[in-house]
PDB file of all heavy atoms in Angstrom:
ATOM      1  N   ILE A1332      -5.288  -3.634   6.611  1.00 92.00           N
ATOM      2  CA  ILE A1332      -6.136  -2.760   5.800  1.00 92.00           C
ATOM      3  C   ILE A1332      -7.258  -2.129   6.612  1.00 92.00           C
ATOM      4  O   ILE A1332      -7.908  -1.208   6.142  1.00 92.00           O
ATOM      5  CB  ILE A1332      -6.723  -3.506   4.574  1.00 92.00           C
ATOM      6  CG1 ILE A1332      -7.771  -4.526   4.994  1.00 92.00           C
ATOM      7  CG2 ILE A1332      -5.643  -4.153   3.773  1.00 92.00           C
ATOM      8  CD1 ILE A1332      -8.510  -5.097   3.823  1.00 92.00           C
ATOM      9  N   ALA A1334      -6.879  -1.124  10.058  1.00 90.00           N
ATOM     10  CA  ALA A1334      -6.420  -0.276  11.159  1.00 90.00           C
ATOM     11  C   ALA A1334      -6.457   1.191  10.749  1.00 90.00           C
ATOM     12  O   ALA A1334      -6.090   1.544   9.635  1.00 90.00           O
ATOM     13  CB  ALA A1334      -5.005  -0.671  11.569  1.00 90.00           C
ATOM     14  N   LEU A1348       3.934 -11.238   8.650  1.00 94.00           N
ATOM     15  CA  LEU A1348       5.231 -11.705   8.161  1.00 94.00           C
ATOM     16  C   LEU A1348       5.782 -12.832   9.029  1.00 94.00           C
ATOM     17  O   LEU A1348       6.394 -13.777   8.514  1.00 94.00           O
ATOM     18  CB  LEU A1348       6.202 -10.530   8.109  1.00 94.00           C
ATOM     19  CG  LEU A1348       5.778  -9.408   7.162  1.00 94.00           C
ATOM     20  CD1 LEU A1348       6.710  -8.238   7.264  1.00 94.00           C
ATOM     21  CD2 LEU A1348       5.729  -9.918   5.742  1.00 94.00           C
ATOM     22  N   VAL A1366      15.380 -15.174   6.439  1.00 91.00           N
ATOM     23  CA  VAL A1366      15.476 -13.922   5.688  1.00 91.00           C
ATOM     24  C   VAL A1366      14.184 -13.117   5.831  1.00 91.00           C
ATOM     25  O   VAL A1366      14.199 -11.898   5.933  1.00 91.00           O
ATOM     26  CB  VAL A1366      15.792 -14.230   4.209  1.00 91.00           C
ATOM     27  CG1 VAL A1366      15.563 -13.020   3.345  1.00 91.00           C
ATOM     28  CG2 VAL A1366      17.214 -14.683   4.076  1.00 91.00           C
ATOM     29  N   GLN A1367      13.064 -13.832   5.855  1.00 91.00           N
ATOM     30  CA  GLN A1367      11.774 -13.175   6.012  1.00 91.00           C
ATOM     31  C   GLN A1367      11.740 -12.346   7.297  1.00 91.00           C
ATOM     32  O   GLN A1367      11.329 -11.194   7.299  1.00 91.00           O
ATOM     33  CB  GLN A1367      10.673 -14.247   6.052  1.00 91.00           C
ATOM     34  CG  GLN A1367       9.273 -13.727   6.251  1.00 91.00           C
ATOM     35  CD  GLN A1367       8.639 -13.385   4.943  1.00 91.00           C
ATOM     36  OE1 GLN A1367       9.227 -13.557   3.891  1.00 91.00           O
ATOM     37  NE2 GLN A1367       7.428 -12.882   5.003  1.00 91.00           N
ATOM     38  N   TYR A1371      12.279  -8.551   6.197  1.00 88.00           N
ATOM     39  CA  TYR A1371      10.959  -7.921   6.211  1.00 88.00           C
ATOM     40  C   TYR A1371      10.639  -7.306   7.563  1.00 88.00           C
ATOM     41  O   TYR A1371      10.477  -6.095   7.694  1.00 88.00           O
ATOM     42  CB  TYR A1371       9.886  -8.954   5.847  1.00 88.00           C
ATOM     43  CG  TYR A1371       9.437  -8.852   4.420  1.00 88.00           C
ATOM     44  CD1 TYR A1371       9.611  -9.892   3.527  1.00 88.00           C
ATOM     45  CD2 TYR A1371       8.821  -7.694   3.970  1.00 88.00           C
ATOM     46  CE1 TYR A1371       9.206  -9.793   2.224  1.00 88.00           C
ATOM     47  CE2 TYR A1371       8.407  -7.584   2.671  1.00 88.00           C
ATOM     48  CZ  TYR A1371       8.593  -8.632   1.797  1.00 88.00           C
ATOM     49  OH  TYR A1371       8.192  -8.531   0.507  1.00 88.00           O
ATOM     50  N   LEU A1386       6.740  11.528   9.676  1.00 78.00           N
ATOM     51  CA  LEU A1386       5.630  12.317   9.148  1.00 78.00           C
ATOM     52  C   LEU A1386       4.635  12.695  10.230  1.00 78.00           C
ATOM     53  O   LEU A1386       3.749  13.494   9.984  1.00 78.00           O
ATOM     54  CB  LEU A1386       4.901  11.534   8.049  1.00 78.00           C
ATOM     55  CG  LEU A1386       5.726  11.094   6.853  1.00 78.00           C
ATOM     56  CD1 LEU A1386       4.837  10.478   5.812  1.00 78.00           C
ATOM     57  CD2 LEU A1386       6.470  12.264   6.274  1.00 78.00           C
ATOM     58  N   PRO A1398     -14.166   8.857  -0.493  1.00 70.00           N
ATOM     59  CA  PRO A1398     -13.993   9.953  -1.461  1.00 70.00           C
ATOM     60  C   PRO A1398     -14.720   9.708  -2.772  1.00 70.00           C
ATOM     61  O   PRO A1398     -15.307  10.619  -3.339  1.00 70.00           O
ATOM     62  CB  PRO A1398     -12.495  10.002  -1.691  1.00 70.00           C
ATOM     63  CG  PRO A1398     -11.881   9.100  -0.712  1.00 70.00           C
ATOM     64  CD  PRO A1398     -12.913   8.201  -0.163  1.00 70.00           C
ATOM     65  N   GLN A1402     -16.675   3.220  -3.994  1.00 83.00           N
ATOM     66  CA  GLN A1402     -15.323   2.690  -4.195  1.00 83.00           C
ATOM     67  C   GLN A1402     -15.101   1.433  -3.368  1.00 83.00           C
ATOM     68  O   GLN A1402     -14.560   0.440  -3.854  1.00 83.00           O
ATOM     69  CB  GLN A1402     -14.316   3.762  -3.826  1.00 83.00           C
ATOM     70  CG  GLN A1402     -12.892   3.384  -4.185  1.00 83.00           C
ATOM     71  CD  GLN A1402     -11.888   4.338  -3.593  1.00 83.00           C
ATOM     72  OE1 GLN A1402     -12.236   5.204  -2.808  1.00 83.00           O
ATOM     73  NE2 GLN A1402     -10.651   4.182  -3.969  1.00 83.00           N
ATOM     74  N   PHE A1414     -10.390 -13.630  -5.609  1.00 92.00           N
ATOM     75  CA  PHE A1414     -10.210 -14.790  -4.742  1.00 92.00           C
ATOM     76  C   PHE A1414     -11.036 -15.970  -5.252  1.00 92.00           C
ATOM     77  O   PHE A1414     -10.549 -17.108  -5.307  1.00 92.00           O
ATOM     78  CB  PHE A1414     -10.607 -14.437  -3.314  1.00 92.00           C
ATOM     79  CG  PHE A1414     -10.484 -15.586  -2.364  1.00 92.00           C
ATOM     80  CD1 PHE A1414      -9.256 -16.198  -2.174  1.00 92.00           C
ATOM     81  CD2 PHE A1414     -11.576 -16.057  -1.670  1.00 92.00           C
ATOM     82  CE1 PHE A1414      -9.126 -17.262  -1.306  1.00 92.00           C
ATOM     83  CE2 PHE A1414     -11.453 -17.120  -0.806  1.00 92.00           C
ATOM     84  CZ  PHE A1414     -10.225 -17.722  -0.619  1.00 92.00           C
ATOM     85  N   LEU A1421      -8.001 -23.527  -8.278  1.00 83.00           N
ATOM     86  CA  LEU A1421      -7.218 -24.429  -7.426  1.00 83.00           C
ATOM     87  C   LEU A1421      -8.009 -25.664  -7.014  1.00 83.00           C
ATOM     88  O   LEU A1421      -7.447 -26.748  -6.878  1.00 83.00           O
ATOM     89  CB  LEU A1421      -6.745 -23.676  -6.180  1.00 83.00           C
ATOM     90  CG  LEU A1421      -5.678 -22.630  -6.430  1.00 83.00           C
ATOM     91  CD1 LEU A1421      -5.445 -21.799  -5.189  1.00 83.00           C
ATOM     92  CD2 LEU A1421      -4.394 -23.302  -6.839  1.00 83.00           C
ATOM     93  N   ASP A1426      -5.206 -32.093  -7.869  1.00 62.00           N
ATOM     94  CA  ASP A1426      -3.923 -31.427  -7.676  1.00 62.00           C
ATOM     95  C   ASP A1426      -3.736 -30.446  -8.831  1.00 62.00           C
ATOM     96  O   ASP A1426      -3.474 -30.853  -9.953  1.00 62.00           O
ATOM     97  CB  ASP A1426      -2.796 -32.452  -7.644  1.00 62.00           C
ATOM     98  CG  ASP A1426      -1.519 -31.826  -7.133  1.00 62.00           C
ATOM     99  OD1 ASP A1426      -1.537 -30.610  -6.847  1.00 62.00           O
ATOM    100  OD2 ASP A1426      -0.516 -32.542  -7.028  1.00 62.00           O
ATOM    101  N   GLN A1433      11.950 -30.878 -11.639  1.00 62.00           N
ATOM    102  CA  GLN A1433      13.191 -30.598 -12.335  1.00 62.00           C
ATOM    103  C   GLN A1433      14.269 -31.617 -11.983  1.00 62.00           C
ATOM    104  O   GLN A1433      14.389 -32.040 -10.829  1.00 62.00           O
ATOM    105  CB  GLN A1433      13.673 -29.201 -11.946  1.00 62.00           C
ATOM    106  CG  GLN A1433      14.819 -28.733 -12.796  1.00 62.00           C
ATOM    107  CD  GLN A1433      14.601 -27.312 -13.229  1.00 62.00           C
ATOM    108  OE1 GLN A1433      13.527 -26.779 -13.080  1.00 62.00           O
ATOM    109  NE2 GLN A1433      15.622 -26.689 -13.773  1.00 62.00           N
ATOM    110  N   GLY A1436      19.059 -29.191 -10.096  1.00 51.00           N
ATOM    111  CA  GLY A1436      18.654 -28.241  -9.072  1.00 51.00           C
ATOM    112  C   GLY A1436      17.476 -28.710  -8.266  1.00 51.00           C
ATOM    113  O   GLY A1436      16.760 -27.908  -7.672  1.00 51.00           O
ATOM    114  N   LEU A1438      15.363 -30.411  -5.227  1.00 58.00           N
ATOM    115  CA  LEU A1438      15.543 -30.414  -3.788  1.00 58.00           C
ATOM    116  C   LEU A1438      16.081 -31.766  -3.360  1.00 58.00           C
ATOM    117  O   LEU A1438      15.675 -32.805  -3.872  1.00 58.00           O
ATOM    118  CB  LEU A1438      14.206 -30.167  -3.086  1.00 58.00           C
ATOM    119  CG  LEU A1438      13.643 -28.767  -3.197  1.00 58.00           C
ATOM    120  CD1 LEU A1438      12.265 -28.728  -2.586  1.00 58.00           C
ATOM    121  CD2 LEU A1438      14.537 -27.785  -2.496  1.00 58.00           C
ATOM    122  N   ASN A1447      19.526 -27.011   2.862  1.00 81.00           N
ATOM    123  CA  ASN A1447      18.710 -26.008   2.174  1.00 81.00           C
ATOM    124  C   ASN A1447      19.544 -24.790   1.815  1.00 81.00           C
ATOM    125  O   ASN A1447      19.511 -24.317   0.675  1.00 81.00           O
ATOM    126  CB  ASN A1447      17.532 -25.627   3.072  1.00 81.00           C
ATOM    127  CG  ASN A1447      16.701 -24.507   2.479  1.00 81.00           C
ATOM    128  OD1 ASN A1447      16.748 -23.395   2.963  1.00 81.00           O
ATOM    129  ND2 ASN A1447      15.995 -24.810   1.415  1.00 81.00           N
ATOM    130  N   THR A1454      22.644 -22.859  -6.319  1.00 88.00           N
ATOM    131  CA  THR A1454      21.803 -22.452  -7.448  1.00 88.00           C
ATOM    132  C   THR A1454      21.953 -20.966  -7.737  1.00 88.00           C
ATOM    133  O   THR A1454      22.033 -20.540  -8.892  1.00 88.00           O
ATOM    134  CB  THR A1454      20.341 -22.777  -7.143  1.00 88.00           C
ATOM    135  OG1 THR A1454      20.269 -24.050  -6.568  1.00 88.00           O
ATOM    136  CG2 THR A1454      19.499 -22.736  -8.401  1.00 88.00           C
ATOM    137  N   ALA A1481      15.446  12.141  -0.977  1.00 81.00           N
ATOM    138  CA  ALA A1481      15.230  12.581   0.399  1.00 81.00           C
ATOM    139  C   ALA A1481      16.152  13.715   0.801  1.00 81.00           C
ATOM    140  O   ALA A1481      16.029  14.232   1.898  1.00 81.00           O
ATOM    141  CB  ALA A1481      15.422  11.400   1.352  1.00 81.00           C
ATOM    142  N   PRO A1492       4.066  25.238  -0.276  1.00 50.00           N
ATOM    143  CA  PRO A1492       2.712  25.529  -0.738  1.00 50.00           C
ATOM    144  C   PRO A1492       1.716  25.181   0.354  1.00 50.00           C
ATOM    145  O   PRO A1492       1.954  24.268   1.153  1.00 50.00           O
ATOM    146  CB  PRO A1492       2.525  24.617  -1.942  1.00 50.00           C
ATOM    147  CG  PRO A1492       3.839  24.074  -2.252  1.00 50.00           C
ATOM    148  CD  PRO A1492       4.670  24.160  -1.036  1.00 50.00           C
ATOM    149  N   THR A1495      -3.392  21.603   0.463  1.00 54.00           N
ATOM    150  CA  THR A1495      -4.352  21.596  -0.638  1.00 54.00           C
ATOM    151  C   THR A1495      -5.786  21.667  -0.148  1.00 54.00           C
ATOM    152  O   THR A1495      -6.631  22.308  -0.756  1.00 54.00           O
ATOM    153  CB  THR A1495      -4.174  20.335  -1.477  1.00 54.00           C
ATOM    154  OG1 THR A1495      -4.101  19.224  -0.608  1.00 54.00           O
ATOM    155  CG2 THR A1495      -2.958  20.406  -2.335  1.00 54.00           C
TER     156      THR A1495
ATOM    157  N   MET B1485      -6.134 -36.593   6.816  1.00 70.00           N
ATOM    158  CA  MET B1485      -6.125 -35.431   5.932  1.00 70.00           C
ATOM    159  C   MET B1485      -4.692 -34.907   5.806  1.00 70.00           C
ATOM    160  O   MET B1485      -3.986 -34.773   6.807  1.00 70.00           O
ATOM    161  CB  MET B1485      -7.048 -34.344   6.468  1.00 70.00           C
ATOM    162  CG  MET B1485      -7.425 -33.329   5.414  1.00 70.00           C
ATOM    163  SD  MET B1485      -8.836 -32.344   5.909  1.00 70.00           S
ATOM    164  CE  MET B1485      -8.265 -31.570   7.394  1.00 70.00           C
ATOM    165  N   ASN B1490      -2.071 -27.276  -2.473  1.00 85.00           N
ATOM    166  CA  ASN B1490      -3.265 -26.488  -2.771  1.00 85.00           C
ATOM    167  C   ASN B1490      -3.689 -25.622  -1.592  1.00 85.00           C
ATOM    168  O   ASN B1490      -4.145 -24.507  -1.778  1.00 85.00           O
ATOM    169  CB  ASN B1490      -4.410 -27.416  -3.152  1.00 85.00           C
ATOM    170  CG  ASN B1490      -4.459 -27.702  -4.623  1.00 85.00           C
ATOM    171  OD1 ASN B1490      -3.529 -27.333  -5.342  1.00 85.00           O
ATOM    172  ND2 ASN B1490      -5.509 -28.341  -5.082  1.00 85.00           N
ATOM    173  N   TYR B1492      -1.817 -24.247   0.674  1.00 92.00           N
ATOM    174  CA  TYR B1492      -0.952 -23.069   0.739  1.00 92.00           C
ATOM    175  C   TYR B1492      -1.311 -22.091  -0.374  1.00 92.00           C
ATOM    176  O   TYR B1492      -1.281 -20.872  -0.173  1.00 92.00           O
ATOM    177  CB  TYR B1492       0.514 -23.485   0.617  1.00 92.00           C
ATOM    178  CG  TYR B1492       1.009 -24.268   1.802  1.00 92.00           C
ATOM    179  CD1 TYR B1492       1.224 -25.631   1.717  1.00 92.00           C
ATOM    180  CD2 TYR B1492       1.242 -23.638   3.016  1.00 92.00           C
ATOM    181  CE1 TYR B1492       1.671 -26.347   2.814  1.00 92.00           C
ATOM    182  CE2 TYR B1492       1.678 -24.340   4.111  1.00 92.00           C
ATOM    183  CZ  TYR B1492       1.888 -25.694   4.007  1.00 92.00           C
ATOM    184  OH  TYR B1492       2.313 -26.396   5.091  1.00 92.00           O
ATOM    185  N   LEU B1499      -4.640 -14.097   0.829  1.00 95.00           N
ATOM    186  CA  LEU B1499      -3.768 -12.989   1.232  1.00 95.00           C
ATOM    187  C   LEU B1499      -3.637 -11.969   0.096  1.00 95.00           C
ATOM    188  O   LEU B1499      -3.708 -10.756   0.321  1.00 95.00           O
ATOM    189  CB  LEU B1499      -2.398 -13.552   1.607  1.00 95.00           C
ATOM    190  CG  LEU B1499      -1.428 -12.600   2.282  1.00 95.00           C
ATOM    191  CD1 LEU B1499      -2.026 -12.079   3.565  1.00 95.00           C
ATOM    192  CD2 LEU B1499      -0.119 -13.294   2.553  1.00 95.00           C
ATOM    193  N   SER B1501      -5.805 -11.361  -2.267  1.00 95.00           N
ATOM    194  CA  SER B1501      -7.064 -10.620  -2.428  1.00 95.00           C
ATOM    195  C   SER B1501      -7.208  -9.555  -1.357  1.00 95.00           C
ATOM    196  O   SER B1501      -7.641  -8.431  -1.639  1.00 95.00           O
ATOM    197  CB  SER B1501      -8.238 -11.582  -2.373  1.00 95.00           C
ATOM    198  OG  SER B1501      -8.084 -12.589  -3.323  1.00 95.00           O
ATOM    199  N   LEU B1508      -6.901  -0.860  -2.916  1.00 91.00           N
ATOM    200  CA  LEU B1508      -7.939  -0.092  -3.599  1.00 91.00           C
ATOM    201  C   LEU B1508      -8.677   0.846  -2.658  1.00 91.00           C
ATOM    202  O   LEU B1508      -9.152   1.902  -3.085  1.00 91.00           O
ATOM    203  CB  LEU B1508      -8.934  -1.045  -4.267  1.00 91.00           C
ATOM    204  CG  LEU B1508      -8.407  -1.785  -5.488  1.00 91.00           C
ATOM    205  CD1 LEU B1508      -9.421  -2.795  -5.956  1.00 91.00           C
ATOM    206  CD2 LEU B1508      -8.103  -0.823  -6.603  1.00 91.00           C
ATOM    207  N   ARG B1510      -7.636   2.015   0.625  1.00 87.00           N
ATOM    208  CA  ARG B1510      -6.929   2.930   1.521  1.00 87.00           C
ATOM    209  C   ARG B1510      -6.363   4.114   0.729  1.00 87.00           C
ATOM    210  O   ARG B1510      -6.053   3.988  -0.455  1.00 87.00           O
ATOM    211  CB  ARG B1510      -5.789   2.213   2.243  1.00 87.00           C
ATOM    212  CG  ARG B1510      -6.258   1.176   3.216  1.00 87.00           C
ATOM    213  CD  ARG B1510      -7.191   1.728   4.260  1.00 87.00           C
ATOM    214  NE  ARG B1510      -6.556   2.685   5.134  1.00 87.00           N
ATOM    215  CZ  ARG B1510      -6.147   2.419   6.367  1.00 87.00           C
ATOM    216  NH1 ARG B1510      -6.304   1.237   6.870  1.00 87.00           N
ATOM    217  NH2 ARG B1510      -5.604   3.361   7.120  1.00 87.00           N
ATOM    218  N   ARG B1511      -6.214   5.267   1.427  1.00 83.00           N
ATOM    219  CA  ARG B1511      -5.716   6.456   0.747  1.00 83.00           C
ATOM    220  C   ARG B1511      -4.368   6.910   1.269  1.00 83.00           C
ATOM    221  O   ARG B1511      -3.714   7.736   0.666  1.00 83.00           O
ATOM    222  CB  ARG B1511      -6.720   7.592   0.904  1.00 83.00           C
ATOM    223  CG  ARG B1511      -7.883   7.454  -0.042  1.00 83.00           C
ATOM    224  CD  ARG B1511      -8.896   8.504   0.252  1.00 83.00           C
ATOM    225  NE  ARG B1511      -9.406   8.342   1.602  1.00 83.00           N
ATOM    226  CZ  ARG B1511      -9.629   9.347   2.420  1.00 83.00           C
ATOM    227  NH1 ARG B1511      -9.430  10.555   2.033  1.00 83.00           N
ATOM    228  NH2 ARG B1511     -10.091   9.128   3.638  1.00 83.00           N
ATOM    229  N   GLU B1521       3.129  -4.946  -0.026  1.00 93.00           N
ATOM    230  CA  GLU B1521       3.964  -5.956   0.628  1.00 93.00           C
ATOM    231  C   GLU B1521       3.170  -7.234   0.882  1.00 93.00           C
ATOM    232  O   GLU B1521       3.683  -8.336   0.729  1.00 93.00           O
ATOM    233  CB  GLU B1521       4.505  -5.420   1.957  1.00 93.00           C
ATOM    234  CG  GLU B1521       5.440  -4.248   1.808  1.00 93.00           C
ATOM    235  CD  GLU B1521       6.614  -4.571   0.925  1.00 93.00           C
ATOM    236  OE1 GLU B1521       7.195  -5.639   1.089  1.00 93.00           O
ATOM    237  OE2 GLU B1521       6.916  -3.754   0.052  1.00 93.00           O
ATOM    238  N   ASN B1525       4.057 -10.869  -0.553  1.00 94.00           N
ATOM    239  CA  ASN B1525       4.219 -12.026   0.319  1.00 94.00           C
ATOM    240  C   ASN B1525       3.351 -13.188  -0.128  1.00 94.00           C
ATOM    241  O   ASN B1525       3.759 -14.342  -0.020  1.00 94.00           O
ATOM    242  CB  ASN B1525       3.874 -11.641   1.755  1.00 94.00           C
ATOM    243  CG  ASN B1525       5.101 -11.335   2.545  1.00 94.00           C
ATOM    244  OD1 ASN B1525       5.799 -12.246   2.944  1.00 94.00           O
ATOM    245  ND2 ASN B1525       5.395 -10.071   2.719  1.00 94.00           N
ATOM    246  N   ARG B1537       6.276 -28.476  -3.944  1.00 84.00           N
ATOM    247  CA  ARG B1537       5.487 -29.522  -4.599  1.00 84.00           C
ATOM    248  C   ARG B1537       6.274 -30.181  -5.739  1.00 84.00           C
ATOM    249  O   ARG B1537       6.246 -31.395  -5.912  1.00 84.00           O
ATOM    250  CB  ARG B1537       4.195 -28.900  -5.127  1.00 84.00           C
ATOM    251  CG  ARG B1537       3.387 -29.741  -6.062  1.00 84.00           C
ATOM    252  CD  ARG B1537       2.779 -30.942  -5.338  1.00 84.00           C
ATOM    253  NE  ARG B1537       1.998 -31.735  -6.247  1.00 84.00           N
ATOM    254  CZ  ARG B1537       2.513 -32.517  -7.192  1.00 84.00           C
ATOM    255  NH1 ARG B1537       3.806 -32.580  -7.341  1.00 84.00           N
ATOM    256  NH2 ARG B1537       1.723 -33.210  -7.979  1.00 84.00           N
ATOM    257  N   GLY B1539       9.535 -30.102  -6.062  1.00 82.00           N
ATOM    258  CA  GLY B1539      10.884 -30.468  -5.661  1.00 82.00           C
ATOM    259  C   GLY B1539      11.958 -29.664  -6.356  1.00 82.00           C
ATOM    260  O   GLY B1539      12.987 -30.179  -6.767  1.00 82.00           O
ATOM    261  N   ASP B1540      11.718 -28.364  -6.498  1.00 83.00           N
ATOM    262  CA  ASP B1540      12.623 -27.523  -7.272  1.00 83.00           C
ATOM    263  C   ASP B1540      13.075 -26.354  -6.402  1.00 83.00           C
ATOM    264  O   ASP B1540      12.255 -25.673  -5.785  1.00 83.00           O
ATOM    265  CB  ASP B1540      11.895 -27.004  -8.514  1.00 83.00           C
ATOM    266  CG  ASP B1540      12.858 -26.434  -9.533  1.00 83.00           C
ATOM    267  OD1 ASP B1540      13.984 -26.103  -9.139  1.00 83.00           O
ATOM    268  OD2 ASP B1540      12.470 -26.323 -10.707  1.00 83.00           O
ATOM    269  N   ILE B1541      14.374 -26.136  -6.372  1.00 86.00           N
ATOM    270  CA  ILE B1541      14.901 -25.044  -5.549  1.00 86.00           C
ATOM    271  C   ILE B1541      14.652 -23.690  -6.204  1.00 86.00           C
ATOM    272  O   ILE B1541      14.741 -22.648  -5.546  1.00 86.00           O
ATOM    273  CB  ILE B1541      16.414 -25.267  -5.299  1.00 86.00           C
ATOM    274  CG1 ILE B1541      16.947 -24.391  -4.142  1.00 86.00           C
ATOM    275  CG2 ILE B1541      17.210 -24.973  -6.538  1.00 86.00           C
ATOM    276  CD1 ILE B1541      16.547 -24.862  -2.801  1.00 86.00           C
ATOM    277  N   GLN B1544      12.443 -21.119  -4.450  1.00 90.00           N
ATOM    278  CA  GLN B1544      13.033 -20.342  -3.352  1.00 90.00           C
ATOM    279  C   GLN B1544      13.969 -19.265  -3.874  1.00 90.00           C
ATOM    280  O   GLN B1544      14.052 -18.174  -3.295  1.00 90.00           O
ATOM    281  CB  GLN B1544      13.765 -21.282  -2.405  1.00 90.00           C
ATOM    282  CG  GLN B1544      12.814 -22.255  -1.734  1.00 90.00           C
ATOM    283  CD  GLN B1544      13.499 -23.138  -0.721  1.00 90.00           C
ATOM    284  OE1 GLN B1544      14.531 -22.783  -0.182  1.00 90.00           O
ATOM    285  NE2 GLN B1544      12.912 -24.287  -0.455  1.00 90.00           N
ATOM    286  N   LEU B1551      12.202 -10.634  -2.834  1.00 92.00           N
ATOM    287  CA  LEU B1551      12.556  -9.903  -1.610  1.00 92.00           C
ATOM    288  C   LEU B1551      13.411  -8.686  -1.930  1.00 92.00           C
ATOM    289  O   LEU B1551      13.169  -7.593  -1.409  1.00 92.00           O
ATOM    290  CB  LEU B1551      13.348 -10.828  -0.688  1.00 92.00           C
ATOM    291  CG  LEU B1551      12.595 -11.639   0.360  1.00 92.00           C
ATOM    292  CD1 LEU B1551      13.537 -12.627   0.988  1.00 92.00           C
ATOM    293  CD2 LEU B1551      12.052 -10.719   1.403  1.00 92.00           C
ATOM    294  N   SER B1569       5.818  14.800   1.400  1.00 78.00           N
ATOM    295  CA  SER B1569       5.274  15.319   2.659  1.00 78.00           C
ATOM    296  C   SER B1569       6.014  16.570   3.099  1.00 78.00           C
ATOM    297  O   SER B1569       5.522  17.341   3.913  1.00 78.00           O
ATOM    298  CB  SER B1569       5.373  14.262   3.742  1.00 78.00           C
ATOM    299  OG  SER B1569       6.713  14.092   4.113  1.00 78.00           O
ATOM    300  N   ARG B1570       7.223  16.776   2.553  1.00 77.00           N
ATOM    301  CA  ARG B1570       7.959  17.982   2.904  1.00 77.00           C
ATOM    302  C   ARG B1570       7.342  19.203   2.223  1.00 77.00           C
ATOM    303  O   ARG B1570       7.470  20.322   2.691  1.00 77.00           O
ATOM    304  CB  ARG B1570       9.396  17.814   2.442  1.00 77.00           C
ATOM    305  CG  ARG B1570      10.369  18.406   3.408  1.00 77.00           C
ATOM    306  CD  ARG B1570      11.758  18.089   3.005  1.00 77.00           C
ATOM    307  NE  ARG B1570      12.313  17.056   3.855  1.00 77.00           N
ATOM    308  CZ  ARG B1570      13.315  16.286   3.484  1.00 77.00           C
ATOM    309  NH1 ARG B1570      13.826  16.406   2.291  1.00 77.00           N
ATOM    310  NH2 ARG B1570      13.783  15.387   4.300  1.00 77.00           N
ATOM    311  N   ARG B1571       6.689  19.003   1.116  1.00 72.00           N
ATOM    312  CA  ARG B1571       6.172  20.132   0.345  1.00 72.00           C
ATOM    313  C   ARG B1571       4.699  20.394   0.579  1.00 72.00           C
ATOM    314  O   ARG B1571       4.188  21.442   0.248  1.00 72.00           O
ATOM    315  CB  ARG B1571       6.417  19.900  -1.145  1.00 72.00           C
ATOM    316  CG  ARG B1571       7.841  19.482  -1.412  1.00 72.00           C
ATOM    317  CD  ARG B1571       8.367  20.043  -2.671  1.00 72.00           C
ATOM    318  NE  ARG B1571       8.079  21.460  -2.784  1.00 72.00           N
ATOM    319  CZ  ARG B1571       8.549  22.205  -3.761  1.00 72.00           C
ATOM    320  NH1 ARG B1571       9.309  21.686  -4.667  1.00 72.00           N
ATOM    321  NH2 ARG B1571       8.240  23.467  -3.827  1.00 72.00           N
ATOM    322  N   ARG B1572       3.973  19.444   1.106  1.00 69.00           N
ATOM    323  CA  ARG B1572       2.565  19.693   1.403  1.00 69.00           C
ATOM    324  C   ARG B1572       2.164  18.967   2.666  1.00 69.00           C
ATOM    325  O   ARG B1572       2.784  17.982   3.055  1.00 69.00           O
ATOM    326  CB  ARG B1572       1.676  19.273   0.224  1.00 69.00           C
ATOM    327  CG  ARG B1572       2.051  17.971  -0.392  1.00 69.00           C
ATOM    328  CD  ARG B1572       1.223  17.680  -1.610  1.00 69.00           C
ATOM    329  NE  ARG B1572       1.545  18.550  -2.716  1.00 69.00           N
ATOM    330  CZ  ARG B1572       0.634  19.141  -3.482  1.00 69.00           C
ATOM    331  NH1 ARG B1572      -0.638  18.953  -3.244  1.00 69.00           N
ATOM    332  NH2 ARG B1572       0.994  19.888  -4.490  1.00 69.00           N
TER     333      ARG B1572
END
Side-chain angles (χ1 to χ4, degrees):
Chain A
I1332 71 171
L1348 298 175
V1366 166
Q1367 178 88 1
Y1371 259 118
L1386 302 186
Q1402 188 190 7
F1414 179 60
L1421 290 171
D1426 193 358
Q1433 190 135 348
L1438 289 174
N1447 175 252
T1454 317
T1495 47
Chain B
M1485 198 164 60
N1490 270 9
Y1492 292 106
L1499 190 59
S1501 305
L1508 289 174
R1510 293 303 295 258
R1511 281 174 298 139
E1521 295 303 315
N1525 262 284
R1537 168 68 180 73
D1540 195 340
I1541 196 75
Q1544 296 184 24
L1551 268 171
S1569 71
R1570 218 174 255 157
R1571 311 216 47 174
R1572 43 185 70 225

